[in-house]
Amino acid sequence: MTTCHHDADLANLPVDGDCDVDRNLLILYATETGTAQDVADRIARECRRARFQCRVCNIGSYPPERLISEPRVVFVVATTGSGVEPRAMTSLWNSLLRSDLPSDLFEDMEFAIFGLGDSTYQKFCWPAKKLARRLANLGGRELCTRGEGDDQHPQGVEGALDPWIEQLIGKLVDLYPHDGLPEELSESRLPPPRVKTVNVPAETECTYPLATDQRYWDVTVQCNRRITAEDWFQDVRHFEFVSERELNYLPGDVAVIHPSALASEVDSLLASLGWDITADDPFSITHSMKDQSLPDHTPQVTTLRILFTRYLDFNAVPRRSFFELLRWFSTDDMEREKLDEFVSSEGANELYEYCQQVKRTVKEVLSEFRSLRIPRDYIFDLFPPLRPRQFSIASSPKKHPHEIHLCVAIVKYRTKLRVPRKGVCTSYLAGLQSGDTLRITIQKGLISLPNDPLTPVICVGPGTGIAPMRAVIEDRIHAGSNATTLYFGCRSASKDHHYGAEWDAYAEAANITYRVAFSRDGAPGTKRTYVQDLLRLDKERVWQLLGVQRGVMIISGSSNKMPAAVREAVMEAAELGKMSAKDAEDFVSMMEREGRLIEECWS
């Protein structure tokens, strides 16, 4: 069994020779938050019970040209923003869209797809639906009906996942029958751990693979400055990182940062699990169940303290798979009974109310089940990986050579139980001091600017959606353009007008046209004004820029109601071009197909 990781060398990806080739299965996942990876691991475990040998691989690490040689592939595809595929999937998707591909390219491939999404959004599971259509158009044969996991389901994605896995395995077993099931993988037994750990001498040096990954490099903190008012409820920071290397990123590209958990929280967790005494004892890690994934850059020699600081996320809200495994480690009958109830079909609503609804964390759950005795070998099975976070870069290297700027909202809130919460990565960033160093890399973003600086560009970026727009504007001004219009929205001119002085100065110099909506600064009782309202007020000019001059619109920010409302405003503008409502809708769709309507949104 073979698994792939972001940092895996795929040049000689092995397939074990002792397995019937008809029982090999590749599972590719495209994830942003980790749910798709968790689902992929779950599918692999269940397929293992049916004697199928799985390889689980991040779709961003898998060479697209190798897909043609795969006989059976399961795709697990998340949805980001307003119906966009995860960044890791973009390369594969673009290769599949080539017009010169033959219609029988995948005639020897059987595939199945499970999508993840939120049915409150119009383009629910859109990337999964598009992938299914495209693979079928290229000759692929769908093994079973596409599955669609819905965040709004009372049981979350598991509400659709469980019956879909049964359907998938049933189809596979019918097509590729095999005698018997391995006794050790019976559902009545504890599944084997994905790693084996062995104590090593105390003087053994721990490894840190991220330090030697050539795709990452060191940057030094030059600035960590709050840009919202001190008395404002939201803490938004401007960060500046300096690098010795030449930086050639583009507007829309993202910085990838690996966070570290707070030392005080790590200490508290280790003590609660009885691991504080051995927290700094080194041990080796061997990946034994290779159909299950491990965190990126998992070290070969490490300690429990290091793992919970850099690799494992105890502040995540656990999924049902967490409780399915946790019940094996309880030594108290009443606790075991409660955990059994949680993972039963009858207990799904109770588990939702206990965990997801109130955002109870892994650490908090563990503190309430006091009889737990967790074997060290199972920590990667029980705790989700501490994932790197992606932040849109808020600068252009043409104006700020050797620098990367970020605009980040520090995550702080209270749950429905009034328990305070902090984001792991944003708390890590907030604690950085001038002169601190961290490892960083850059990933290609979704924004593509027109080559001609005279082509109009409309930027719509309320809140911290302003980050990539700042990069766009700096890049365009450097190219000599004055054809950029910025629509920015926030609550108050005096509280959260991010980079307001810069925009005013650019507008004064006629470098940009600037339109801003302060939604809470109006007189009491008056209707609040948002960016979409300004677009409607400016619809004659919007049509001139987008319809007549064939300009580009870029939307960035939260993927709540804003992106859809902006699209509706553009449709209203298009009706000025003597279009019917249907033609106006088609016009917006055409802009998107032509790359003239770009969304860089997040949920």
Side-chain angles (χ1 to χ4, degrees):
M1 300 177 184
T2 303
T3 188
C4 313
H5 310 289
H6 291 291
D7 56 340
D9 179 4
L10 295 170
N12 296 294
L13 190 65
V15 176
D16 292 353
D18 58 352
C19 180
D20 184 348
V21 68
D22 284 341
R23 307 192 72 76
N24 284 325
L25 190 67
L26 173 64
I27 303 176
L28 294 176
Y29 65 86
T31 191
E32 288 281 339
T33 64
T35 304
Q37 182 178 358
D38 186 66
V39 168
D41 283 343
R42 169 79 181 279
I43 294 170
R45 287 196 301 272
E46 298 302 327
C47 287
R48 189 199 310 156
R49 298 183 190 281
R51 300 294 294 270
F52 283 89
Q53 192 165 12
C54 298
R55 291 171 289 148
V56 178
C57 186
N58 186 308
I59 206 167
S61 300
Y62 185 83
E65 65 274 10
R66 296 194 58 177
L67 196 59
I68 191 174
S69 63
E70 298 289 351
R72 281 165 300 282
V73 187
V74 174
F75 296 89
V76 183
V77 181
T79 307
T80 68
S82 301
V84 182
E85 74 277 358
R87 293 179 199 274
M89 184 178 166
T90 301
S91 176
L92 174 64
W93 181 241
N94 288 340
S95 68
L96 292 176
L97 290 179
R98 284 171 40 196
S99 60
D100 60 342
L101 297 178
S103 59
D104 60 352
L105 180 68
F106 294 126
E107 64 178 357
D108 296 325
M109 176 199 286
E110 296 172 324
F111 70 90
I113 295 178
F114 190 84
L116 302 168
D118 186 326
S119 58
T120 60
Y121 291 97
Q122 182 181 8
K123 293 186 176 181
F124 172 59
C125 288
W126 205 248
K129 293 174 181 176
K130 292 195 299 182
L131 178 62
R133 285 197 300 269
R134 185 56 177 159
L135 291 175
N137 290 339
L138 294 174
R141 300 185 308 280
E142 199 159 11
L143 277 166
C144 61
T145 304
R146 183 182 65 253
E148 295 181 346
D150 185 2
D151 286 342
Q152 297 302 315
H153 192 283
Q155 298 177 32
V157 298
E158 282 89 357
L161 178 62
D162 291 347
W164 185 83
I165 290 177
E166 288 185 16
Q167 179 191 170
L168 172 67
I169 293 179
K171 186 67 174 180
L172 288 170
V173 170
D174 286 345
L175 290 172
Y176 309 103
H178 191 285
D179 294 333
L181 292 176
E183 183 179 350
E184 66 272 15
L185 295 179
S186 167
E187 291 186 3
S188 63
R189 295 178 180 270
L190 174 66
R194 67 187 69 190
V195 303
K196 296 291 185 184
T197 63
V198 178
N199 292 330
V200 296
E203 64 272 13
T204 306
E205 186 174 349
C206 295
T207 58
Y208 183 38
L210 186 64
T212 57
D213 188 335
Q214 295 301 306
R215 296 169 300 176
Y216 286 76
W217 61 91
D218 290 334
V219 293
T220 302
V221 179
Q222 178 174 267
C223 176
N224 175 359
R225 185 181 76 249
R226 179 170 177 145
I227 58 176
T228 47
E230 289 294 333
D231 60 350
W232 191 238
F233 75 96
Q234 188 176 48
D235 179 2
V236 176
R237 303 286 182 97
H238 172 75
F239 294 94
E240 296 177 5
F241 304 124
V242 181
S243 172
E244 294 182 355
R245 65 187 291 172
E246 193 74 28
L247 300 176
N248 295 308
Y249 58 86
L250 298 172
D253 289 355
V254 298
V256 181
I257 294 175
H258 288 256
S260 294
L262 296 176
S264 58
E265 294 187 355
V266 174
D267 290 343
S268 173
L269 174 80
L270 293 169
S272 69
L273 294 174
W275 287 339
D276 46 336
I277 297 176
T278 60
D280 298 302
D281 295 348
F283 56 87
S284 66
I285 297 173
T286 302
H287 194 181
S288 53
M289 296 303 294
K290 293 188 176 180
D291 64 353
Q292 300 294 287
S293 60
L294 292 178
D296 291 349
H297 305 97
T298 297
Q300 291 181 320
V301 178
T302 190
T303 67
L304 286 170
R305 188 183 306 280
I306 292 173
L307 283 181
F308 286 108
T309 300
R310 295 177 174 171
Y311 300 98
L312 299 173
D313 190 358
F314 54 85
N315 286 304
V317 177
R319 303 184 175 97
R320 195 182 73 173
S321 58
F322 170 86
F323 293 92
E324 288 176 338
L325 183 60
L326 191 67
R327 63 197 179 103
W328 292 101
F329 307 134
S330 174
T331 58
D332 180 86
D333 290 341
M334 291 185 65
E335 289 185 0
R336 179 73 175 267
E337 183 178 346
K338 172 56 67 176
L339 291 168
D340 285 342
E341 288 177 11
F342 278 161
V343 300
S344 68
S345 56
E346 297 80 11
N349 289 335
E350 185 180 2
L351 177 60
Y352 173 78
E353 292 170 359
Y354 171 77
C355 194
Q356 282 78 22
Q357 188 175 52
V358 297
K359 298 187 183 300
R360 197 174 253 109
T361 67
V362 168
K363 182 172 182 284
E364 289 168 340
V365 171
L366 295 177
S367 69
E368 294 187 3
F369 291 85
R370 298 179 180 276
S371 74
L372 295 169
R373 299 294 182 267
I374 302 171
R376 190 176 65 186
D377 284 358
Y378 280 92
I379 54 178
F380 289 103
D381 301 276
L382 196 62
F383 293 89
L386 181 55
R387 300 187 175 281
R389 304 305 201 262
Q390 299 169 325
F391 297 95
S392 294
I393 298 176
S395 56
S396 168
K398 295 174 182 176
K399 181 172 183 179
H400 307 283
H402 297 276
E403 295 183 13
I404 295 172
H405 296 184
L406 303 180
C407 178
V408 178
I410 308 303
V411 178
K412 292 181 181 179
Y413 64 97
R414 288 185 177 272
T415 69
K416 291 185 178 180
L417 296 179
R418 307 305 298 165
V419 177
R421 286 280 186 271
K422 295 184 293 184
V424 176
C425 192
T426 60
S427 295
Y428 165 71
L429 288 173
L432 292 174
Q433 303 293 320
S434 180
D436 287 348
T437 61
L438 63 153
R439 299 285 284 175
I440 200 169
T441 192
I442 293 174
Q443 289 182 356
K444 183 172 177 54
L446 304 175
I447 294 174
S448 180
L449 293 178
N451 294 326
D452 186 353
L454 299 181
T455 300
V457 173
I458 297 178
C459 297
V460 184
T464 53
I466 196 62
M469 304 312 187
R470 187 171 183 259
V472 167
I473 290 169
E474 290 181 350
D475 187 273
R476 298 261 293 169
I477 291 175
H478 184 273
S481 174
N482 63 354
T484 306
T485 301
L486 172 62
Y487 285 86
F488 176 69
C490 63
R491 296 194 178 196
S492 171
S494 61
K495 302 295 186 181
D496 60 339
H497 189 188
H498 308 331
Y499 306 109
E502 292 183 21
W503 314 137
D504 290 337
Y506 287 147
E508 181 69 23
N511 295 132
I512 66 170
T513 300
Y514 183 43
R515 299 282 281 145
V516 58
F518 301 117
S519 63
R520 302 299 195 273
D521 281 353
T526 60
K527 182 179 179 297
R528 292 171 180 172
T529 301
Y530 300 101
V531 287
Q532 57 265 31
D533 299 312
L534 295 183
L535 287 163
R536 289 190 176 95
L537 288 174
D538 299 346
K539 58 185 176 182
E540 290 87 357
R541 185 170 184 271
V542 169
W543 173 247
Q544 180 67 27
L545 297 178
L546 299 181
V548 178
Q549 300 182 35
R550 292 183 54 79
V552 173
M553 171 173 274
I554 307 170
I555 306 170
S556 175
S558 175
S559 59
N560 45 30
K561 298 179 180 179
M562 182 273 295
V566 169
R567 285 170 173 263
E568 290 173 3
V570 174
M571 291 179 200
E572 289 186 23
E575 292 178 21
L576 294 177
K578 298 183 179 179
M579 292 185 180
S580 66
K582 178 63 169 61
D583 289 341
E585 184 177 350
D586 291 342
F587 169 76
V588 173
S589 297
M590 180 189 68
M591 284 186 61
E592 191 166 19
R593 289 194 302 271
E594 294 175 347
R596 295 196 299 118
L597 178 60
I598 303 166
E599 285 191 18
E600 176 81 18
C601 298
W602 54 86
S603 53

